[in-house]
Amino acid sequence: METLMSAVAPRSPAPSKKLSEVDFRSGATLEQLSAQVSELVVLEQGDFGDQTALEVHTAKDFIFNMLGLVQKVDQRLPVANEYLLLSGGAREGVLDLSPEDLGDYAKGADFDLDFTLLVPALKLHDRNQPVTLDMRHSPPCHSWLSLRLCDSTVMSRWGICCQEESAFTTQEEEEEEEEEEEAEMSKGSIPSLDSPHSLDGCYFSPSLVTDWFWGVVSEAVEELRRCPQRGIPTPDRLERNGPLTTIILQAGSSRVLYDLLPVVSFRGWPAVAQGWLTANHFWDGKITEEEAISGFYLLPCCSPLGGRPDREWRLAFSRSEVQLKKCIPYPVAQAFQAARAVLSRILARPRAGLSLYHLRTLLFWACDRLPSAYLSCADTDTPGRLLLGLLDDLAHCILGKNCPNYFLPQCNMLEHLTDSQALLVARKLAHVRSDPGDHLRAALDQAQQAGQMKKELTASTNGHGSPGHHPANGIISPSDDKLAQRLQQLVTENPGKSISVFLNPDDVTRPHFRIDDKFY
């Protein structure tokens, strides 16, 4: 009887599947948003096969050969220069540049792959070389650069890009300086010793440097166009966008966009950013301090609040950012990539002083603020949850017009926004936040269309000519296969590492790679 009763007794219900969390604002399930985020990341990365790797390699060779030609003819770039190659164009937020000046280019319609290359015009890596960063006239994160203490070789080479401040000083400014000196003397100090006025003049002008760079690159590209060679990519477009020199190369079936930017390169760490080193960070224990502070740059970009484009440079820590990216948990990196794809569409027009670099900054702050276990949680809802968090974080910063620079928190990167600009961007973000799934679908459609256009172009390129004949717009020599495989192996074996390229202008056919501290 007992056995019979147990047989007919009601069974306990089977464990139900955990319900996905629902976003209160939009009603979308986080599981669904996470699936869209993952699909979008896969599409954004694209199919980077052997053929594409080879085409990217030939495009890179063209750029470095062209810069080698610039050095040979003009002889101002450092002989053994060290470039920093960043994945993604300037419009992708890899640099803190004014978004209004970056030009309009769409993936699929204009290019297939994009990169940013920092080209040091000056490489101040010698610790015995005195350098004057004059921050008296600039807001945080900006500086003037005086070359007065540099040796005569540097002065003679770059005199064409230097300006004397005395030629631009107004009578009112002179009177103010005299009053400041009198006040200092009344305090018992000696102006010639305590005042930095003795360092005035010989200011390295970012506007003159970018003018010079555009001119010499244009001449070099035209020279290469006049002497086309089999196997060399064809420059399709060469345009200037603010401080950038943008070139789109046709390399086989790939259109590769390069944003070239002349910069000043430094080793070490600026005194103004020493406070950043004493704080706790998400990368502590994952990379060494030496890796995190290996150097910094000056970008030719002035403050949006009345800065002087002929004097003012912007501090940038791109080399450090490359290292920090290695420490970002994968789920939040996915969320950032999806947010960037969505926001790039709504911020394109009109550009209201907000760039995707602000989103990158919020990513670093979030990694510092939030527990690593939360950001790296393997739950299926995590990418969607983090995407909404980044959107909410950005909306909060815009409404408050406050986004501290990650390396220099005293610099508010949104201080220049007017109330009307902030309101316009906040409305756009609110629209995205009310239906993030719809905007993710639109970004997915755009990525799919770009991929389809690339496939059609590849099929069209491969369909012309016999197997022994290659198109003239970037012929790929079979002898380059081993070199492409080696390059792809280096990239695969060193994910997220800082990759620099050294180029000897006397032998531009043999570039040397540095991956962190290893040379190839």
Side-chain angles (χ1 to χ4, degrees), residues 243-269:
L244 296 171
T245 294
T246 302
I247 181 170
I248 299 179
L249 301 173
Q250 185 72 54
S253 62
S254 296
R255 295 161 301 166
V256 186
L257 182 149
Y258 268 91
D259 283 321
L260 309 179
L261 186 69
V263 298
V264 181
S265 175
F266 295 86
R267 281 293 185 199
W269 200 249

Short mmCIF file of all heavy atoms in Angstrom, two decimals, residues 243-269:
data_model
loop_
_atom_site.label_atom_id
_atom_site.label_comp_id
_atom_site.label_asym_id
_atom_site.label_seq_id
_atom_site.Cartn_x
_atom_site.Cartn_y
_atom_site.Cartn_z
N PRO A 243 43.58 68.25 -37.78
CA PRO A 243 45.01 67.91 -37.65
C PRO A 243 45.38 66.61 -38.35
O PRO A 243 46.56 66.31 -38.49
CB PRO A 243 45.19 67.77 -36.13
CG PRO A 243 43.84 67.32 -35.64
CD PRO A 243 42.84 68.01 -36.51
N LEU A 244 44.39 65.84 -38.79
CA LEU A 244 44.64 64.53 -39.38
C LEU A 244 44.94 64.62 -40.87
O LEU A 244 44.37 65.45 -41.59
CB LEU A 244 43.42 63.62 -39.20
CG LEU A 244 43.01 63.24 -37.77
CD1 LEU A 244 41.66 62.53 -37.82
CD2 LEU A 244 44.06 62.36 -37.12
N THR A 245 45.81 63.74 -41.31
CA THR A 245 45.97 63.46 -42.73
C THR A 245 45.40 62.07 -42.95
O THR A 245 45.93 61.08 -42.43
CB THR A 245 47.45 63.52 -43.15
OG1 THR A 245 47.92 64.86 -43.01
CG2 THR A 245 47.61 63.07 -44.59
N THR A 246 44.31 61.99 -43.69
CA THR A 246 43.59 60.72 -43.88
C THR A 246 43.85 60.19 -45.28
O THR A 246 43.69 60.91 -46.27
CB THR A 246 42.07 60.92 -43.67
OG1 THR A 246 41.84 61.43 -42.36
CG2 THR A 246 41.33 59.60 -43.84
N ILE A 247 44.27 58.94 -45.35
CA ILE A 247 44.53 58.30 -46.64
C ILE A 247 43.80 56.97 -46.68
O ILE A 247 43.81 56.21 -45.71
CB ILE A 247 46.05 58.11 -46.87
CG1 ILE A 247 46.31 57.48 -48.24
CG2 ILE A 247 46.69 57.30 -45.76
CD1 ILE A 247 47.78 57.50 -48.63
N ILE A 248 43.11 56.71 -47.80
CA ILE A 248 42.43 55.43 -48.02
C ILE A 248 43.13 54.72 -49.15
O ILE A 248 43.25 55.25 -50.26
CB ILE A 248 40.93 55.63 -48.34
CG1 ILE A 248 40.22 56.33 -47.17
CG2 ILE A 248 40.27 54.29 -48.63
CD1 ILE A 248 38.75 56.60 -47.43
N LEU A 249 43.62 53.53 -48.85
CA LEU A 249 44.38 52.74 -49.81
C LEU A 249 43.53 51.58 -50.33
O LEU A 249 42.80 50.95 -49.56
CB LEU A 249 45.64 52.18 -49.16
CG LEU A 249 46.63 53.18 -48.58
CD1 LEU A 249 47.73 52.46 -47.82
CD2 LEU A 249 47.23 54.05 -49.68
N GLN A 250 43.66 51.31 -51.63
CA GLN A 250 43.04 50.13 -52.21
C GLN A 250 44.11 49.05 -52.29
O GLN A 250 45.05 49.12 -53.08
CB GLN A 250 42.49 50.43 -53.60
CG GLN A 250 41.71 49.27 -54.22
CD GLN A 250 40.36 49.06 -53.54
OE1 GLN A 250 39.56 49.99 -53.43
NE2 GLN A 250 40.11 47.85 -53.10
N ALA A 251 43.99 48.06 -51.41
CA ALA A 251 44.96 46.97 -51.36
C ALA A 251 44.24 45.68 -51.69
O ALA A 251 43.57 45.09 -50.85
CB ALA A 251 45.61 46.88 -49.98
N GLY A 252 44.34 45.24 -52.94
CA GLY A 252 43.58 44.06 -53.36
C GLY A 252 42.10 44.34 -53.25
O GLY A 252 41.57 45.29 -53.82
N SER A 253 41.40 43.53 -52.47
CA SER A 253 39.96 43.72 -52.30
C SER A 253 39.62 44.53 -51.05
O SER A 253 38.44 44.71 -50.75
CB SER A 253 39.27 42.34 -52.20
OG SER A 253 39.76 41.64 -51.05
N SER A 254 40.63 45.01 -50.33
CA SER A 254 40.40 45.76 -49.08
C SER A 254 40.69 47.24 -49.26
O SER A 254 41.70 47.62 -49.86
CB SER A 254 41.27 45.20 -47.94
OG SER A 254 40.95 43.87 -47.64
N ARG A 255 39.79 48.06 -48.71
CA ARG A 255 40.03 49.50 -48.64
C ARG A 255 40.44 49.81 -47.20
O ARG A 255 39.64 49.66 -46.28
CB ARG A 255 38.78 50.28 -49.03
CG ARG A 255 38.35 50.08 -50.49
CD ARG A 255 36.90 50.47 -50.69
NE ARG A 255 36.04 49.66 -49.84
CZ ARG A 255 34.75 49.94 -49.60
NH1 ARG A 255 34.20 51.01 -50.13
NH2 ARG A 255 34.04 49.15 -48.83
N VAL A 256 41.68 50.25 -47.05
CA VAL A 256 42.25 50.44 -45.72
C VAL A 256 42.44 51.93 -45.46
O VAL A 256 43.13 52.62 -46.23
CB VAL A 256 43.59 49.70 -45.57
CG1 VAL A 256 44.09 49.80 -44.13
CG2 VAL A 256 43.45 48.24 -45.98
N LEU A 257 41.80 52.42 -44.40
CA LEU A 257 41.88 53.84 -44.04
C LEU A 257 42.93 54.03 -42.95
O LEU A 257 42.94 53.31 -41.95
CB LEU A 257 40.52 54.35 -43.55
CG LEU A 257 40.40 55.82 -43.17
CD1 LEU A 257 38.99 56.34 -43.46
CD2 LEU A 257 40.72 56.07 -41.68
N TYR A 258 43.80 55.00 -43.17
CA TYR A 258 44.79 55.39 -42.17
C TYR A 258 44.60 56.86 -41.81
O TYR A 258 44.57 57.72 -42.69
CB TYR A 258 46.21 55.19 -42.71
CG TYR A 258 46.82 53.84 -42.41
CD1 TYR A 258 46.66 52.78 -43.30
CD2 TYR A 258 47.54 53.62 -41.24
CE1 TYR A 258 47.22 51.53 -43.04
CE2 TYR A 258 48.10 52.38 -40.97
CZ TYR A 258 47.93 51.35 -41.86
OH TYR A 258 48.48 50.12 -41.59
N ASP A 259 44.44 57.12 -40.51
CA ASP A 259 44.49 58.49 -40.01
C ASP A 259 45.89 58.72 -39.46
O ASP A 259 46.30 58.10 -38.47
CB ASP A 259 43.45 58.69 -38.89
CG ASP A 259 42.04 58.84 -39.42
OD1 ASP A 259 41.87 59.49 -40.47
OD2 ASP A 259 41.10 58.29 -38.81
N LEU A 260 46.63 59.61 -40.10
CA LEU A 260 48.00 59.92 -39.69
C LEU A 260 48.01 61.21 -38.89
O LEU A 260 47.43 62.21 -39.32
CB LEU A 260 48.91 60.06 -40.91
CG LEU A 260 48.86 58.91 -41.94
CD1 LEU A 260 49.80 59.22 -43.10
CD2 LEU A 260 49.22 57.59 -41.30
N LEU A 261 48.67 61.19 -37.74
CA LEU A 261 48.68 62.37 -36.87
C LEU A 261 50.10 62.65 -36.39
O LEU A 261 50.72 61.81 -35.73
CB LEU A 261 47.77 62.14 -35.66
CG LEU A 261 47.58 63.35 -34.74
CD1 LEU A 261 46.76 64.43 -35.45
CD2 LEU A 261 46.90 62.94 -33.44
N PRO A 262 50.65 63.84 -36.71
CA PRO A 262 51.97 64.19 -36.18
C PRO A 262 51.87 64.53 -34.69
O PRO A 262 50.97 65.26 -34.27
CB PRO A 262 52.36 65.42 -37.01
CG PRO A 262 51.05 66.04 -37.41
CD PRO A 262 50.08 64.89 -37.56
N VAL A 263 52.78 64.00 -33.90
CA VAL A 263 52.74 64.19 -32.44
C VAL A 263 54.14 64.46 -31.93
O VAL A 263 55.14 64.35 -32.66
CB VAL A 263 52.17 62.93 -31.73
CG1 VAL A 263 50.74 62.67 -32.17
CG2 VAL A 263 53.05 61.71 -31.99
N VAL A 264 54.23 64.79 -30.65
CA VAL A 264 55.50 64.86 -29.94
C VAL A 264 55.51 63.70 -28.95
O VAL A 264 54.56 63.53 -28.18
CB VAL A 264 55.68 66.20 -29.20
CG1 VAL A 264 57.04 66.23 -28.50
CG2 VAL A 264 55.55 67.37 -30.17
N SER A 265 56.56 62.88 -28.99
CA SER A 265 56.63 61.67 -28.18
C SER A 265 57.61 61.86 -27.02
O SER A 265 58.70 62.39 -27.20
CB SER A 265 57.07 60.49 -29.06
OG SER A 265 57.26 59.32 -28.29
N PHE A 266 57.20 61.39 -25.84
CA PHE A 266 58.02 61.48 -24.63
C PHE A 266 58.14 60.10 -24.00
O PHE A 266 57.20 59.30 -24.03
CB PHE A 266 57.39 62.42 -23.59
CG PHE A 266 57.33 63.86 -24.01
CD1 PHE A 266 56.25 64.33 -24.75
CD2 PHE A 266 58.32 64.75 -23.67
CE1 PHE A 266 56.18 65.65 -25.14
CE2 PHE A 266 58.26 66.08 -24.05
CZ PHE A 266 57.19 66.53 -24.79
N ARG A 267 59.26 59.86 -23.35
CA ARG A 267 59.41 58.74 -22.44
C ARG A 267 59.08 59.22 -21.03
O ARG A 267 59.14 60.42 -20.74
CB ARG A 267 60.83 58.19 -22.48
CG ARG A 267 61.11 57.30 -23.67
CD ARG A 267 60.32 56.02 -23.61
NE ARG A 267 60.66 55.11 -24.70
CZ ARG A 267 59.91 54.12 -25.07
NH1 ARG A 267 58.74 53.91 -24.49
NH2 ARG A 267 60.26 53.33 -26.06
N GLY A 268 58.77 58.29 -20.14
CA GLY A 268 58.52 58.68 -18.76
C GLY A 268 57.10 59.14 -18.55
O GLY A 268 56.18 58.79 -19.29
N TRP A 269 56.91 59.97 -17.53
CA TRP A 269 55.58 60.37 -17.11
C TRP A 269 55.58 61.84 -16.70
O TRP A 269 56.50 62.28 -16.01
CB TRP A 269 55.14 59.51 -15.93
CG TRP A 269 53.66 59.47 -15.68
CD1 TRP A 269 52.99 60.00 -14.62
CD2 TRP A 269 52.67 58.86 -16.51
NE1 TRP A 269 51.65 59.76 -14.74
CE2 TRP A 269 51.42 59.05 -15.90
CE3 TRP A 269 52.72 58.17 -17.72
CZ2 TRP A 269 50.24 58.58 -16.45
CZ3 TRP A 269 51.55 57.71 -18.26
CH2 TRP A 269 50.32 57.91 -17.63
#
